[in-house]
Amino acid sequence: MTTREAVADKPSVWLKLAHGSGAAAFGIKNGGFDYFLLLFYGTVVGLEPGLVGLAILIALVVDAISDPLVGYWSDNLRSRWGRRHPFMYAAALPVSLSYFLLWNPPDWGQAGLFLYLTALAVLIRTFITFYETPSSALIPELTADYDERTSMQAYRLLFGWSGGTVMSIVVFGFLFTGPLGMRDPEAYAQYGIIASVLIFATIMISALGTHSRIPHLHRPVARGERFSIGRIFREMIETLSEKSFLALFVATVLFAIATGLSAALAFLILNYFWGFSEFQIFIWTCSVLFSAVIGFLIAPWATRKLGKKRATIVLGLLAFTIQPSPVLLRLAGLMPENGDPLLFPLVLGINVIDLALIIAVQAVAYSMIADLVEANQVRTGRRSEGVYYAAMTFTRKTTQGFGVLAAGLILSLIDFPEGADPASVDPDILWRLGASYAPALLILWLSALFFIARYRIDKGMHEENLRRLADAEKSASA
Protein backbone atom coordinates (compact mmCIF):
# COMPACT_ATOMS: atom_id res chain seq x y z
CA MET A 1 0.00 0.00 0.00
CA THR A 2 1.55 3.29 -1.07
CA THR A 3 1.22 6.51 0.86
CA ARG A 4 -1.10 7.94 -1.81
CA GLU A 5 -3.35 4.87 -1.61
CA ALA A 6 -3.42 5.18 2.17
CA VAL A 7 -4.58 8.80 1.94
CA ALA A 8 -7.43 7.85 -0.39
CA ASP A 9 -8.47 4.90 1.76
CA LYS A 10 -11.48 5.70 3.97
CA PRO A 11 -12.07 2.82 6.39
CA SER A 12 -15.57 1.39 6.26
CA VAL A 13 -17.81 1.40 9.30
CA TRP A 14 -17.51 -2.39 9.43
CA LEU A 15 -13.73 -2.19 9.53
CA LYS A 16 -13.90 0.44 12.27
CA LEU A 17 -16.26 -1.79 14.24
CA ALA A 18 -14.04 -4.85 13.81
CA HIS A 19 -10.88 -3.00 14.75
CA GLY A 20 -12.45 -1.04 17.58
CA SER A 21 -14.24 -4.01 19.15
CA GLY A 22 -10.94 -5.47 20.34
CA ALA A 23 -10.48 -2.52 22.69
CA ALA A 24 -13.24 -4.05 24.82
CA ALA A 25 -10.62 -6.54 26.06
CA PHE A 26 -8.43 -3.71 27.29
CA GLY A 27 -11.50 -1.97 28.73
CA ILE A 28 -12.61 -5.06 30.64
CA LYS A 29 -9.12 -5.57 32.02
CA ASN A 30 -8.79 -1.88 32.87
CA GLY A 31 -12.21 -1.79 34.50
CA GLY A 32 -11.26 -4.64 36.78
CA PHE A 33 -7.91 -3.14 37.70
CA ASP A 34 -9.29 0.38 38.09
CA TYR A 35 -12.50 -0.22 39.97
CA PHE A 36 -12.36 -3.62 41.63
CA LEU A 37 -8.75 -4.62 42.26
CA LEU A 38 -8.06 -2.34 45.22
CA LEU A 39 -11.55 -3.00 46.58
CA PHE A 40 -11.18 -6.79 46.23
CA TYR A 41 -7.65 -7.25 47.53
CA GLY A 42 -7.82 -4.41 50.07
CA THR A 43 -11.23 -5.04 51.67
CA VAL A 44 -12.25 -8.62 50.74
CA VAL A 45 -9.00 -10.57 50.57
CA GLY A 46 -7.41 -8.45 53.30
CA LEU A 47 -4.16 -7.37 51.62
CA GLU A 48 -2.94 -3.99 52.92
CA PRO A 49 -3.97 -1.31 50.36
CA GLY A 50 -0.46 0.09 50.13
CA LEU A 51 0.82 -3.36 49.10
CA VAL A 52 -1.81 -3.54 46.34
CA GLY A 53 -0.50 -0.26 44.96
CA LEU A 54 3.10 -1.45 45.29
CA ALA A 55 2.34 -4.68 43.39
CA ILE A 56 0.91 -2.69 40.48
CA LEU A 57 3.84 -0.28 40.59
CA ILE A 58 6.29 -3.18 40.27
CA ALA A 59 4.37 -4.41 37.23
CA LEU A 60 4.61 -0.89 35.85
CA VAL A 61 8.41 -1.00 36.10
CA VAL A 62 8.42 -4.26 34.13
CA ASP A 63 6.14 -2.60 31.57
CA ALA A 64 8.65 0.19 31.12
CA ILE A 65 11.01 -2.42 29.66
CA SER A 66 8.62 -4.85 27.96
CA ASP A 67 6.24 -2.39 26.25
CA PRO A 68 8.74 -0.68 23.91
CA LEU A 69 10.41 -4.02 23.13
CA VAL A 70 7.05 -5.52 22.09
CA GLY A 71 6.34 -2.40 20.03
CA TYR A 72 9.72 -2.58 18.29
CA TRP A 73 9.29 -6.31 17.68
CA SER A 74 5.89 -5.81 16.07
CA ASP A 75 7.33 -3.04 13.85
CA ASN A 76 10.01 -5.37 12.52
CA LEU A 77 8.36 -8.80 12.46
CA ARG A 78 8.29 -10.53 9.08
CA SER A 79 5.60 -13.20 8.72
CA ARG A 80 2.92 -14.34 6.30
CA TRP A 81 0.39 -12.75 8.68
CA GLY A 82 2.17 -9.40 8.65
CA ARG A 83 3.67 -7.46 11.54
CA ARG A 84 0.72 -7.19 13.94
CA HIS A 85 -1.65 -10.15 13.77
CA PRO A 86 0.68 -12.89 15.09
CA PHE A 87 0.93 -10.96 18.37
CA MET A 88 -2.83 -10.38 18.51
CA TYR A 89 -3.65 -14.06 18.09
CA ALA A 90 -0.92 -15.17 20.50
CA ALA A 91 -2.16 -12.91 23.32
CA ALA A 92 -5.77 -14.11 23.49
CA LEU A 93 -5.48 -17.26 25.62
CA PRO A 94 -2.65 -16.25 28.02
CA VAL A 95 -4.22 -12.92 29.01
CA SER A 96 -7.61 -14.57 29.55
CA LEU A 97 -6.22 -17.35 31.74
CA SER A 98 -4.06 -15.06 33.87
CA TYR A 99 -7.00 -12.65 34.35
CA PHE A 100 -9.14 -15.52 35.61
CA LEU A 101 -6.46 -16.48 38.16
CA LEU A 102 -6.25 -12.89 39.43
CA TRP A 103 -9.78 -13.08 40.87
CA ASN A 104 -9.28 -16.52 42.41
CA PRO A 105 -6.34 -16.00 44.80
CA PRO A 106 -5.09 -18.70 47.20
CA ASP A 107 -5.60 -18.47 50.94
CA TRP A 108 -2.12 -17.14 51.76
CA GLY A 109 -0.77 -14.57 54.19
CA GLN A 110 0.20 -10.97 53.41
CA ALA A 111 3.59 -11.85 51.86
CA GLY A 112 2.19 -14.70 49.76
CA LEU A 113 -0.75 -12.67 48.50
CA PHE A 114 1.52 -9.77 47.65
CA LEU A 115 3.79 -12.04 45.57
CA TYR A 116 0.79 -13.69 43.92
CA LEU A 117 -0.77 -10.36 42.97
CA THR A 118 2.56 -8.97 41.75
CA ALA A 119 3.26 -11.99 39.52
CA LEU A 120 -0.20 -11.97 37.96
CA ALA A 121 -0.17 -8.19 37.47
CA VAL A 122 3.11 -8.53 35.54
CA LEU A 123 1.76 -11.40 33.42
CA ILE A 124 -1.57 -9.74 32.62
CA ARG A 125 -0.02 -6.41 31.72
CA THR A 126 2.62 -8.08 29.53
CA PHE A 127 0.09 -10.27 27.71
CA ILE A 128 -2.32 -7.36 27.16
CA THR A 129 0.60 -5.44 25.63
CA PHE A 130 1.03 -8.25 23.09
CA TYR A 131 -2.50 -7.53 21.93
CA GLU A 132 -3.18 -3.85 22.57
CA THR A 133 0.03 -2.39 21.15
CA PRO A 134 -0.05 -4.16 17.73
CA SER A 135 -3.82 -3.70 17.48
CA SER A 136 -3.63 0.04 18.21
CA ALA A 137 -0.68 0.36 15.83
CA LEU A 138 -2.97 -0.67 12.97
CA ILE A 139 -4.69 2.75 13.05
CA PRO A 140 -2.00 4.65 11.05
CA GLU A 141 -1.87 1.74 8.60
CA LEU A 142 -5.61 1.45 8.05
CA THR A 143 -5.93 5.15 7.19
CA ALA A 144 -3.62 8.13 6.73
CA ASP A 145 -6.49 10.62 6.84
CA TYR A 146 -6.10 13.17 9.68
CA ASP A 147 -9.79 13.19 10.68
CA GLU A 148 -10.45 9.49 10.06
CA ARG A 149 -7.75 8.59 12.54
CA THR A 150 -9.67 10.41 15.25
CA SER A 151 -12.80 8.53 14.18
CA MET A 152 -11.03 5.17 14.43
CA GLN A 153 -9.64 6.08 17.84
CA ALA A 154 -13.14 7.12 18.91
CA TYR A 155 -14.43 3.66 17.97
CA ARG A 156 -11.71 2.06 20.09
CA LEU A 157 -12.54 4.20 23.08
CA LEU A 158 -16.27 3.58 22.60
CA PHE A 159 -15.69 -0.16 22.83
CA GLY A 160 -13.04 0.19 25.53
CA TRP A 161 -15.27 2.20 27.84
CA SER A 162 -18.35 0.16 26.96
CA GLY A 163 -16.58 -3.13 27.61
CA GLY A 164 -15.52 -2.10 31.08
CA THR A 165 -18.93 -0.56 31.79
CA VAL A 166 -20.91 -3.60 30.67
CA MET A 167 -18.83 -5.75 33.01
CA SER A 168 -19.48 -3.31 35.85
CA ILE A 169 -23.21 -3.48 35.10
CA VAL A 170 -23.03 -7.27 35.26
CA VAL A 171 -21.17 -7.06 38.57
CA PHE A 172 -23.56 -4.61 40.23
CA GLY A 173 -26.73 -5.83 38.57
CA PHE A 174 -26.20 -9.55 39.09
CA LEU A 175 -23.09 -10.48 41.08
CA PHE A 176 -23.16 -7.98 43.96
CA THR A 177 -26.82 -8.65 44.79
CA GLY A 178 -26.16 -11.05 47.67
CA PRO A 179 -26.19 -10.14 51.36
CA LEU A 180 -22.46 -9.28 51.33
CA GLY A 181 -22.78 -6.95 48.33
CA MET A 182 -19.41 -5.58 47.24
CA ARG A 183 -17.67 -7.69 49.91
CA ASP A 184 -18.71 -11.09 48.50
CA PRO A 185 -15.64 -13.14 47.40
CA GLU A 186 -17.77 -15.51 45.32
CA ALA A 187 -19.01 -12.58 43.23
CA TYR A 188 -15.45 -11.71 42.26
CA ALA A 189 -14.71 -15.34 41.32
CA GLN A 190 -17.75 -15.34 39.00
CA TYR A 191 -16.66 -12.00 37.60
CA GLY A 192 -13.26 -13.53 36.77
CA ILE A 193 -14.87 -16.29 34.72
CA ILE A 194 -17.18 -13.98 32.73
CA ALA A 195 -14.52 -11.32 32.11
CA SER A 196 -11.91 -13.85 30.98
CA VAL A 197 -14.25 -15.38 28.40
CA LEU A 198 -15.19 -11.94 27.03
CA ILE A 199 -11.54 -10.86 26.83
CA PHE A 200 -10.70 -13.94 24.77
CA ALA A 201 -13.73 -13.49 22.50
CA THR A 202 -13.21 -9.78 21.75
CA ILE A 203 -9.50 -10.23 20.97
CA MET A 204 -10.26 -13.02 18.51
CA ILE A 205 -13.16 -11.11 16.89
CA SER A 206 -10.94 -8.08 16.30
CA ALA A 207 -8.00 -10.09 14.99
CA LEU A 208 -10.18 -12.09 12.61
CA GLY A 209 -12.15 -8.99 11.58
CA THR A 210 -9.01 -7.15 10.44
CA HIS A 211 -7.23 -10.21 9.05
CA SER A 212 -8.29 -9.49 5.46
CA ARG A 213 -6.33 -6.20 5.54
CA ILE A 214 -2.98 -7.95 6.09
CA PRO A 215 -1.93 -7.88 2.37
CA HIS A 216 -2.49 -4.10 2.30
CA LEU A 217 -0.45 -3.25 5.41
CA HIS A 218 3.12 -1.98 5.49
CA ARG A 219 6.07 -4.36 5.63
CA PRO A 220 9.27 -3.77 7.62
CA VAL A 221 11.86 -1.70 5.78
CA ALA A 222 15.05 -3.65 5.05
CA ARG A 223 17.82 -1.65 6.72
CA GLY A 224 20.82 -3.72 5.63
CA GLU A 225 22.18 -3.45 9.17
CA ARG A 226 23.01 -6.38 11.43
CA PHE A 227 20.50 -7.01 14.20
CA SER A 228 21.77 -6.17 17.69
CA ILE A 229 20.51 -5.01 21.09
CA GLY A 230 22.38 -1.75 20.55
CA ARG A 231 20.55 -1.19 17.27
CA ILE A 232 17.17 -1.81 18.95
CA PHE A 233 17.73 0.77 21.68
CA ARG A 234 19.37 3.28 19.32
CA GLU A 235 16.38 3.17 16.96
CA MET A 236 13.85 3.35 19.81
CA ILE A 237 15.61 6.36 21.34
CA GLU A 238 15.75 8.05 17.93
CA THR A 239 12.04 7.39 17.39
CA LEU A 240 10.96 8.56 20.83
CA SER A 241 13.10 11.71 20.83
CA GLU A 242 10.54 13.59 18.73
CA LYS A 243 9.63 16.72 20.72
CA SER A 244 5.92 16.47 19.96
CA PHE A 245 5.96 12.87 21.14
CA LEU A 246 7.68 13.80 24.40
CA ALA A 247 5.04 16.47 25.08
CA LEU A 248 2.24 14.02 24.32
CA PHE A 249 3.88 11.25 26.35
CA VAL A 250 4.14 13.36 29.51
CA ALA A 251 0.58 14.63 29.04
CA THR A 252 -0.88 11.14 28.63
CA VAL A 253 1.04 9.87 31.66
CA LEU A 254 -0.57 12.63 33.71
CA PHE A 255 -3.98 11.89 32.13
CA ALA A 256 -3.59 8.22 33.04
CA ILE A 257 -2.51 8.87 36.62
CA ALA A 258 -5.49 11.16 37.15
CA THR A 259 -7.85 8.62 35.57
CA GLY A 260 -6.37 5.84 37.70
CA LEU A 261 -6.68 7.83 40.91
CA SER A 262 -10.28 8.71 40.09
CA ALA A 263 -11.18 5.15 39.12
CA ALA A 264 -9.48 3.48 42.11
CA LEU A 265 -11.39 5.66 44.56
CA ALA A 266 -14.63 5.89 42.55
CA PHE A 267 -16.73 3.40 44.45
CA LEU A 268 -15.38 4.55 47.82
CA ILE A 269 -16.28 8.15 46.93
CA LEU A 270 -19.75 7.11 45.73
CA ASN A 271 -20.51 4.74 48.59
CA TYR A 272 -18.83 6.53 51.51
CA PHE A 273 -18.37 10.21 50.57
CA TRP A 274 -21.73 10.70 48.83
CA GLY A 275 -23.58 7.95 50.69
CA PHE A 276 -25.11 6.48 47.52
CA SER A 277 -26.75 3.07 47.75
CA GLU A 278 -25.56 0.10 45.72
CA PHE A 279 -28.61 0.50 43.44
CA GLN A 280 -27.68 4.15 42.83
CA ILE A 281 -24.10 3.08 42.07
CA PHE A 282 -25.55 0.57 39.60
CA ILE A 283 -27.46 3.39 37.85
CA TRP A 284 -24.28 5.49 37.93
CA THR A 285 -22.37 2.66 36.25
CA CYS A 286 -25.02 2.24 33.55
CA SER A 287 -24.81 5.96 32.77
CA VAL A 288 -21.22 5.54 31.56
CA LEU A 289 -22.63 4.02 28.36
CA PHE A 290 -24.35 7.34 27.61
CA SER A 291 -21.10 9.22 28.28
CA ALA A 292 -19.20 6.85 25.96
CA VAL A 293 -21.65 7.44 23.10
CA ILE A 294 -21.64 11.22 23.60
CA GLY A 295 -17.83 11.29 23.76
CA PHE A 296 -17.69 9.10 20.63
CA LEU A 297 -19.73 11.72 18.77
CA ILE A 298 -17.94 14.78 20.17
CA ALA A 299 -14.36 13.74 19.38
CA PRO A 300 -14.50 13.63 15.53
CA TRP A 301 -16.67 16.77 15.45
CA ALA A 302 -14.23 18.71 17.65
CA THR A 303 -11.27 17.57 15.54
CA ARG A 304 -12.91 18.80 12.33
CA LYS A 305 -13.86 22.15 13.89
CA LEU A 306 -10.79 22.93 16.00
CA GLY A 307 -7.93 20.63 15.02
CA LYS A 308 -6.56 18.05 17.43
CA LYS A 309 -4.45 20.15 19.79
CA ARG A 310 -6.97 22.95 20.23
CA ALA A 311 -9.84 20.46 20.62
CA THR A 312 -7.94 18.63 23.36
CA ILE A 313 -7.23 21.84 25.26
CA VAL A 314 -10.75 23.31 24.93
CA LEU A 315 -12.53 20.07 25.83
CA GLY A 316 -9.99 19.39 28.56
CA LEU A 317 -10.47 22.74 30.27
CA LEU A 318 -14.20 22.10 30.37
CA ALA A 319 -13.91 18.52 31.58
CA PHE A 320 -11.15 18.88 34.14
CA THR A 321 -12.64 21.83 35.95
CA ILE A 322 -16.05 20.16 36.09
CA GLN A 323 -14.90 16.80 37.48
CA PRO A 324 -13.65 17.80 40.96
CA SER A 325 -16.22 20.59 41.37
CA PRO A 326 -18.94 18.60 43.22
CA VAL A 327 -16.42 17.37 45.80
CA LEU A 328 -14.95 20.85 46.29
CA LEU A 329 -18.44 22.32 46.66
CA ARG A 330 -19.30 19.67 49.26
CA LEU A 331 -16.15 20.55 51.23
CA ALA A 332 -17.30 24.18 51.16
CA GLY A 333 -20.77 23.17 52.36
CA LEU A 334 -22.49 24.15 49.10
CA MET A 335 -23.90 20.76 48.04
CA PRO A 336 -27.07 19.04 49.30
CA GLU A 337 -26.53 16.75 52.26
CA ASN A 338 -26.30 12.98 51.85
CA GLY A 339 -29.78 11.50 51.54
CA ASP A 340 -31.25 14.64 49.97
CA PRO A 341 -33.30 13.54 46.90
CA LEU A 342 -31.63 16.24 44.78
CA LEU A 343 -28.08 15.00 45.44
CA PHE A 344 -27.95 11.87 43.29
CA PRO A 345 -29.49 13.29 40.07
CA LEU A 346 -27.35 16.43 40.44
CA VAL A 347 -24.05 14.60 40.83
CA LEU A 348 -25.05 12.00 38.22
CA GLY A 349 -25.93 14.63 35.61
CA ILE A 350 -22.64 16.45 36.14
CA ASN A 351 -20.74 13.19 35.80
CA VAL A 352 -22.45 12.11 32.55
CA ILE A 353 -21.48 15.38 30.86
CA ASP A 354 -18.02 15.50 32.36
CA LEU A 355 -17.14 11.89 31.52
CA ALA A 356 -18.30 12.39 27.92
CA LEU A 357 -15.89 15.31 27.63
CA ILE A 358 -13.06 13.26 29.17
CA ILE A 359 -13.66 10.39 26.72
CA ALA A 360 -13.63 12.87 23.83
CA VAL A 361 -10.35 14.35 25.10
CA GLN A 362 -8.84 10.87 25.25
CA ALA A 363 -9.97 10.02 21.71
CA VAL A 364 -8.48 13.19 20.23
CA ALA A 365 -5.27 13.03 22.27
CA TYR A 366 -4.64 9.35 21.50
CA SER A 367 -5.24 9.95 17.78
CA MET A 368 -2.42 12.49 17.83
CA ILE A 369 -0.01 9.56 18.22
CA ALA A 370 -0.94 8.31 14.73
CA ASP A 371 0.22 11.56 13.11
CA LEU A 372 3.68 11.14 14.65
CA VAL A 373 4.24 8.04 12.49
CA GLU A 374 4.70 9.89 9.19
CA ALA A 375 6.67 12.70 10.87
CA ASN A 376 9.07 10.08 12.18
CA GLN A 377 9.17 8.30 8.82
CA VAL A 378 10.20 11.53 7.10
CA ARG A 379 12.92 11.99 9.71
CA THR A 380 14.27 8.43 10.01
CA GLY A 381 12.95 6.44 7.05
CA ARG A 382 11.24 3.94 9.38
CA ARG A 383 7.60 3.33 10.23
CA SER A 384 7.52 2.83 13.99
CA GLU A 385 3.82 2.57 14.83
CA GLY A 386 4.48 -0.18 17.33
CA VAL A 387 7.04 1.80 19.32
CA TYR A 388 4.76 4.84 19.52
CA TYR A 389 1.69 2.82 20.49
CA ALA A 390 3.70 0.81 22.98
CA ALA A 391 4.47 4.11 24.67
CA MET A 392 0.75 4.89 24.56
CA THR A 393 -0.16 1.49 26.00
CA PHE A 394 2.43 2.09 28.72
CA THR A 395 0.96 5.48 29.63
CA ARG A 396 -2.55 4.03 29.75
CA LYS A 397 -1.38 1.26 32.04
CA THR A 398 0.01 3.82 34.47
CA THR A 399 -3.68 4.10 35.29
CA GLN A 400 -3.18 1.03 37.45
CA GLY A 401 0.37 1.98 38.44
CA PHE A 402 0.78 5.40 39.94
CA GLY A 403 -2.98 5.98 40.02
CA VAL A 404 -3.73 2.95 42.20
CA LEU A 405 -0.57 3.60 44.21
CA ALA A 406 -1.71 7.18 44.88
CA ALA A 407 -5.17 5.94 45.84
CA GLY A 408 -3.68 3.38 48.23
CA LEU A 409 -1.45 5.99 49.80
CA ILE A 410 -4.36 8.39 50.30
CA LEU A 411 -6.37 5.68 52.05
CA SER A 412 -3.41 4.79 54.25
CA LEU A 413 -2.59 8.41 55.12
CA ILE A 414 -6.14 9.26 56.16
CA ASP A 415 -6.47 5.95 58.08
CA PHE A 416 -9.49 4.86 56.08
CA PRO A 417 -11.03 1.81 57.83
CA GLU A 418 -11.00 -1.50 55.94
CA GLY A 419 -14.38 -3.09 55.26
CA ALA A 420 -16.30 -0.56 57.37
CA ASP A 421 -19.99 0.12 56.96
CA PRO A 422 -20.44 3.54 55.23
CA ALA A 423 -22.59 4.86 58.10
CA SER A 424 -19.87 4.12 60.66
CA VAL A 425 -16.98 6.04 59.06
CA ASP A 426 -15.88 9.20 60.90
CA PRO A 427 -17.04 12.35 59.00
CA ASP A 428 -13.56 13.86 59.50
CA ILE A 429 -12.03 10.94 57.58
CA LEU A 430 -14.52 11.46 54.75
CA TRP A 431 -13.68 15.18 54.67
CA ARG A 432 -9.97 14.33 54.42
CA LEU A 433 -10.77 11.87 51.62
CA GLY A 434 -12.47 14.60 49.56
CA ALA A 435 -9.80 17.18 50.44
CA SER A 436 -7.07 14.83 49.15
CA TYR A 437 -8.96 13.56 46.11
CA ALA A 438 -10.29 16.71 44.39
CA PRO A 439 -7.19 18.97 44.44
CA ALA A 440 -4.95 16.09 43.32
CA LEU A 441 -7.19 15.49 40.29
CA LEU A 442 -7.31 19.16 39.35
CA ILE A 443 -3.52 19.54 39.51
CA LEU A 444 -2.92 16.40 37.42
CA TRP A 445 -5.45 17.30 34.70
CA LEU A 446 -4.28 20.90 34.26
CA SER A 447 -0.62 19.84 34.22
CA ALA A 448 -1.44 17.45 31.37
CA LEU A 449 -2.99 20.26 29.31
CA PHE A 450 0.16 22.33 29.85
CA PHE A 451 2.17 19.66 28.01
CA ILE A 452 -0.47 19.12 25.30
CA ALA A 453 0.03 22.77 24.36
CA ARG A 454 3.60 21.87 23.33
CA TYR A 455 2.52 19.36 20.66
CA ARG A 456 3.32 20.80 17.22
CA ILE A 457 1.85 18.59 14.45
CA ASP A 458 -1.34 20.02 12.94
CA LYS A 459 -3.35 18.97 9.89
CA GLY A 460 -1.24 21.06 7.50
CA MET A 461 2.03 19.57 8.76
CA HIS A 462 0.56 16.06 8.56
CA GLU A 463 -0.52 16.50 4.95
CA GLU A 464 2.91 17.93 4.08
CA ASN A 465 4.54 14.83 5.58
CA LEU A 466 2.28 12.61 3.48
CA ARG A 467 3.19 14.60 0.36
CA ARG A 468 6.91 14.26 1.04
CA LEU A 469 6.59 10.52 1.57
CA ALA A 470 4.59 10.13 -1.64
CA ASP A 471 7.26 12.05 -3.57
CA ALA A 472 9.96 9.84 -2.07
CA GLU A 473 8.06 6.71 -3.13
CA LYS A 474 7.73 8.03 -6.68
CA SER A 475 11.44 8.79 -6.84
CA ALA A 476 12.32 5.34 -5.53
CA SER A 477 10.09 3.57 -8.06
CA ALA A 478 11.18 5.71 -11.02
Side-chain angles (χ1 to χ4, degrees):
M1 181 176 65
T2 67
T3 302
R4 187 173 298 278
E5 289 170 338
V7 174
D9 185 20
K10 301 284 188 180
S12 67
V13 171
W14 290 112
L15 182 61
K16 291 178 182 180
L17 287 170
H19 178 257
S21 63
F26 194 90
I28 292 169
K29 189 275 302 181
N30 254 21
F33 271 64
D34 290 350
Y35 296 112
F36 302 122
L37 190 65
L38 182 60
L39 184 65
F40 176 56
Y41 275 88
T43 64
V44 178
V45 177
L47 185 61
E48 207 279 323
L51 291 178
V52 179
L54 180 59
I56 305 304
L57 181 61
I58 291 171
L60 176 64
V61 173
V62 176
D63 277 341
I65 300 172
S66 65
D67 280 15
L69 290 177
V70 170
Y72 182 90
W73 190 5
S74 77
D75 282 336
N76 292 277
L77 181 69
R78 296 178 182 275
S79 79
R80 64 188 181 91
W81 283 356
R83 298 186 293 170
R84 315 297 180 190
H85 283 75
F87 292 93
M88 296 161 65
Y89 287 121
L93 186 59
V95 74
S96 303
L97 178 60
S98 55
Y99 198 72
F100 164 77
L101 293 174
L102 179 69
W103 304 101
N104 292 270
D107 187 15
W108 294 347
Q110 290 285 305
L113 283 171
F114 170 70
L115 293 175
Y116 182 85
L117 173 58
T118 302
L120 282 175
V122 169
L123 289 174
I124 292 168
R125 291 163 70 94
T126 300
F127 291 142
I128 204 71
T129 298
F130 268 74
Y131 168 72
E132 182 66 16
T133 293
S135 179
S136 298
L138 287 174
I139 291 178
E141 298 194 82
L142 294 175
T143 179
D145 186 88
Y146 182 82
D147 296 322
E148 285 293 324
R149 286 175 169 179
T150 300
S151 178
M152 293 201 71
Q153 186 63 64
Y155 273 86
R156 285 192 73 82
L157 282 181
L158 174 64
F159 278 98
W161 278 91
S162 298
T165 301
V166 168
M167 277 310 307
S168 295
I169 291 172
V170 170
V171 169
F172 282 103
F174 300 97
L175 302 183
F176 282 174
T177 55
L180 294 177
M182 290 189 291
R183 287 166 281 278
D184 184 0
E186 287 300 317
Y188 291 95
Q190 294 170 11
Y191 161 78
I193 295 172
I194 298 170
S196 299
V197 170
L198 289 177
I199 287 173
F200 178 82
T202 53
I203 288 176
M204 292 302 298
I205 289 171
S206 182
L208 291 169
T210 55
H211 194 97
S212 64
R213 299 297 300 169
I214 291 174
H216 307 285
L217 303 178
H218 292 275
R219 300 289 177 178
V221 177
R223 306 291 294 172
E225 183 180 352
R226 186 173 64 86
F227 176 84
S228 68
I229 297 298
R231 171 188 160 189
I232 291 175
F233 282 97
R234 185 180 71 252
E235 290 185 358
M236 284 197 299
I237 291 171
E238 185 181 20
T239 296
L240 300 178
S241 63
E242 170 76 37
K243 290 182 179 180
S244 287
F245 166 77
L246 293 174
L248 192 56
F249 178 82
V250 175
T252 49
V253 166
L254 292 169
F255 281 151
I257 294 172
T259 303
L261 174 62
S262 176
L265 294 178
F267 291 130
L268 290 177
I269 292 288
L270 293 174
N271 197 214
Y272 290 86
F273 187 85
W274 294 117
F276 295 153
S277 67
E278 291 186 1
F279 177 73
Q280 287 175 316
I281 295 176
F282 174 71
I283 299 299
W284 181 284
T285 303
C286 294
S287 73
V288 173
L289 293 174
F290 293 101
S291 297
V293 172
I294 296 169
F296 166 76
L297 297 173
I298 290 175
W301 173 83
T303 296
R304 291 192 298 270
K305 295 293 183 181
L306 301 173
K308 293 181 182 180
K309 184 172 79 171
R310 185 181 295 178
T312 302
I313 293 173
V314 171
L315 295 175
L317 286 173
L318 289 172
F320 305 149
T321 52
I322 291 173
Q323 187 182 41
S325 296
V327 174
L328 293 173
L329 290 172
R330 162 57 63 82
L331 297 178
L334 300 177
M335 289 289 286
E337 294 298 323
N338 289 4
D340 189 307
L342 290 177
L343 181 64
F344 180 70
L346 176 61
V347 178
L348 178 66
I350 292 172
N351 184 73
V352 167
I353 296 170
D354 180 63
L355 185 57
L357 292 171
I358 289 176
I359 293 171
V361 168
Q362 290 178 339
V364 179
Y366 292 164
S367 76
M368 294 161 79
I369 282 286
D371 303 329
L372 291 168
V373 171
E374 286 81 14
N376 178 69
Q377 189 178 1
V378 168
R379 185 166 58 94
T380 68
R382 296 187 304 272
R383 289 190 67 89
S384 301
E385 298 98 326
V387 172
Y388 280 129
Y389 278 93
M392 180 58 65
T393 303
F394 171 76
T395 63
R396 291 171 67 187
K397 288 191 294 189
T398 58
T399 300
Q400 295 87 40
F402 291 112
V404 174
L405 175 63
L409 291 175
I410 286 174
L411 295 180
S412 296
L413 288 172
I414 66 174
D415 296 322
F416 195 87
E418 294 182 14
D421 183 89
S424 66
V425 179
D426 188 336
D428 288 340
I429 291 179
L430 295 179
W431 194 93
R432 292 200 298 270
L433 176 62
S436 302
Y437 168 82
L441 280 182
L442 190 58
I443 291 170
L444 287 167
W445 289 129
L446 295 181
S447 298
L449 293 182
F450 171 81
F451 285 97
I452 284 287
R454 275 138 186 81
Y455 182 88
R456 295 289 179 252
I457 300 174
D458 58 15
K459 186 172 184 178
M461 293 177 64
H462 174 65
E463 292 177 347
E464 172 62 17
N465 287 332
L466 292 176
R467 186 194 62 77
R468 292 174 65 180
L469 292 173
D471 290 344
E473 288 179 2
K474 286 181 180 178
S475 298
S477 60

